[in-house]
Amino acid sequence: MDAPRTQDPPELDAPLTGVELTRARSAELFRDLHDPEAPQHQRERARDDLVHLHLPLVEHCARRFRNRGEPFEDLVQVGTIGLIKSVDRFDTDRGVEFSTYATPTIIGEIKRYFRDKGWAIRVPRRLQELRMQIGSATAELTQSLGRSPTPRELAEAIGCTVEEIIEGIESSNAYSTLSLDASDDSDDGAASMLDAIGVDDAGLEHVEIRESIKPLLDRLDPREKKILLLRFFKNMTQSQIAEEIGVSQMHVSRLLNRTLVQLRTSLEEAD
C-alpha cells in the first residue's frame, strides 16, 4: 500500500520589483485622481505625486538628448511639461501602461524645445528636423564605417539629396552664436570678435566718381584745372584763388561755375 502523499506547502508570493511597485502606486494615484467623489485637495495631491513618481522616466528620456548644446536640467524641465500633459490626458480605461503612453509625449516636448527655442537664429522647421536626422545618421554611420561619413553617404542613409545634406550641415551654424564681445582666447590681450570685423570704407563710394571724372579733368585747360585744385583740394577761397592766379574774384567765380557745369553735363552724358 502506497504511503499517502504529503501536500506541498503553498508558495509564498514573490516580492514586488521596483517597476511593479511603481505601477501599483501609479494605478492607485490615478484612481484617486479620477475619482469624482474625492476632495479637490486629494485629487491635486494625487496629480503632484504622479508627476514626482514618474520623474525618473523624464530623466531617462532627456538623456537621449544630452551633449546637444542644451543643459541636462533644462531638458528635464521641458520633459516634465510633457509628463504633466500626459498625466492630465491619460485614460486608465485604455489598458495601456502610463509609461508607454507618456514617453512619446515627453520626447515630443523635448524635440519641440530644440526645434523652436534651442536655436539662436530662426531657421525653417525642415532644416531643424534634417539637422537631427543628420546627427543620428552620422553617429550610426561613423560606428559602422569606422570613419566620418561623406555627405553622399548621409544623403543615401536619410533619403535626400547631397545639396540638402550640405544645407542641413550649414544650418547647424545657426544653432548657437558667439557674442561679438567674446575674446579670441589669445595671450596677446583681450581682443574681441568685434575687433576682427571690417568696417565700410567711407571713401569707397567715391571711387567710381573719381575714376569717372579723371578723364574729364584731363580735358580742361590748365587754368581751369588749377582753380578746381585750389578750391576743392586746398580749400582756398575765391579771393585767395584770385590773388593766386592774378584775376578778379568775379572772374574766378564765373570760371568755377562754368567748369562745374561742364563737368556735370559730361558726367550725365556718360551715364
Side-chain angles (χ1 to χ4, degrees):
M1 184 174 179
D2 295 336
R5 297 181 58 186
T6 58
Q7 187 176 2
D8 294 335
E11 294 184 358
L12 299 176
D13 292 336
L16 296 177
T17 64
V19 174
E20 291 170 336
L21 287 172
T22 300
R23 290 176 180 173
R25 178 58 176 161
S26 178
E28 178 184 355
L29 291 172
F30 272 114
R31 283 194 297 269
D32 293 341
L33 179 63
H34 296 155
D35 186 0
E37 299 181 358
Q40 181 65 24
H41 69 87
Q42 181 177 340
R43 297 175 63 182
E44 292 177 354
R45 178 62 181 272
R47 182 175 182 266
D48 293 340
D49 290 345
L50 280 167
V51 173
H52 286 89
L53 181 65
H54 293 93
L55 281 178
L57 175 62
V58 176
E59 295 174 353
H60 173 75
C61 295
R63 288 190 186 95
R64 296 175 51 180
F65 299 90
R66 298 188 72 170
N67 301 323
R68 295 194 182 185
E70 294 297 322
F72 178 72
E73 294 76 11
D74 290 353
L75 300 181
V76 172
Q77 187 174 16
V78 172
T80 304
I81 297 175
L83 173 62
I84 295 173
K85 292 180 179 179
S86 300
V87 170
D88 292 338
R89 300 171 183 172
F90 183 62
D91 185 358
T92 55
D93 295 335
R94 293 182 178 180
V96 180
E97 290 291 339
F98 175 73
S99 59
T100 303
Y101 171 81
T103 298
T105 306
I106 296 171
I107 293 178
E109 201 69 30
I110 296 175
K111 287 183 177 180
R112 189 176 300 108
Y113 170 78
F114 275 99
R115 185 181 64 222
D116 298 335
K117 300 178 181 178
W119 294 72
I121 301 176
R122 184 67 174 172
V123 299
R125 180 176 299 181
R126 172 182 62 84
L127 293 178
Q128 296 177 11
E129 295 175 349
L130 180 59
R131 174 183 177 272
M132 298 183 68
Q133 291 179 311
I134 291 175
S136 301
T138 300
E140 295 176 0
L141 290 175
T142 299
Q143 185 174 5
S144 61
L145 298 175
R147 57 173 174 80
S148 299
T150 64
R152 183 169 300 279
E153 291 170 339
L154 287 171
E156 294 175 353
I158 296 176
C160 60
T161 65
V162 177
E163 289 75 14
E164 289 175 330
I165 292 295
I166 295 175
E167 185 180 13
I169 295 175
E170 291 177 347
S171 69
S172 300
N173 296 328
Y175 186 77
S176 60
T177 57
L178 185 64
S179 172
L180 292 177
D181 294 327
S183 62
D184 58 1
D185 296 330
S186 64
D187 297 332
D188 299 333
S192 65
M193 295 291 295
L194 186 61
D195 297 329
I197 298 179
V199 296
D200 293 336
D201 188 349
L204 187 61
E205 59 183 7
H206 302 298
V207 171
E208 184 178 356
I209 297 176
R210 289 199 301 269
E211 293 301 317
S212 299
I213 207 172
K214 274 183 179 180
L216 301 179
L217 293 175
D218 293 338
R219 300 175 191 172
L220 298 176
D221 61 55
R223 187 173 63 171
E224 294 175 343
K225 187 182 299 184
K226 184 176 182 180
I227 291 175
L228 289 177
L229 175 65
L230 296 176
R231 178 69 183 90
F232 295 105
F233 291 91
K234 294 190 177 182
N235 296 321
M236 295 177 63
T237 65
Q238 292 185 8
S239 299
Q240 292 172 332
I241 296 174
E243 295 178 1
E244 178 75 18
I245 64 177
V247 297
S248 66
Q249 178 183 346
M250 185 65 67
H251 191 52
V252 170
S253 179
R254 287 198 298 267
L255 289 175
L256 186 60
N257 289 334
R258 186 182 67 184
T259 303
L260 293 176
V261 170
Q262 180 181 347
L263 291 175
R264 188 177 298 110
T265 303
S266 299
L267 282 175
E268 293 174 353
E269 292 176 352
D271 292 338

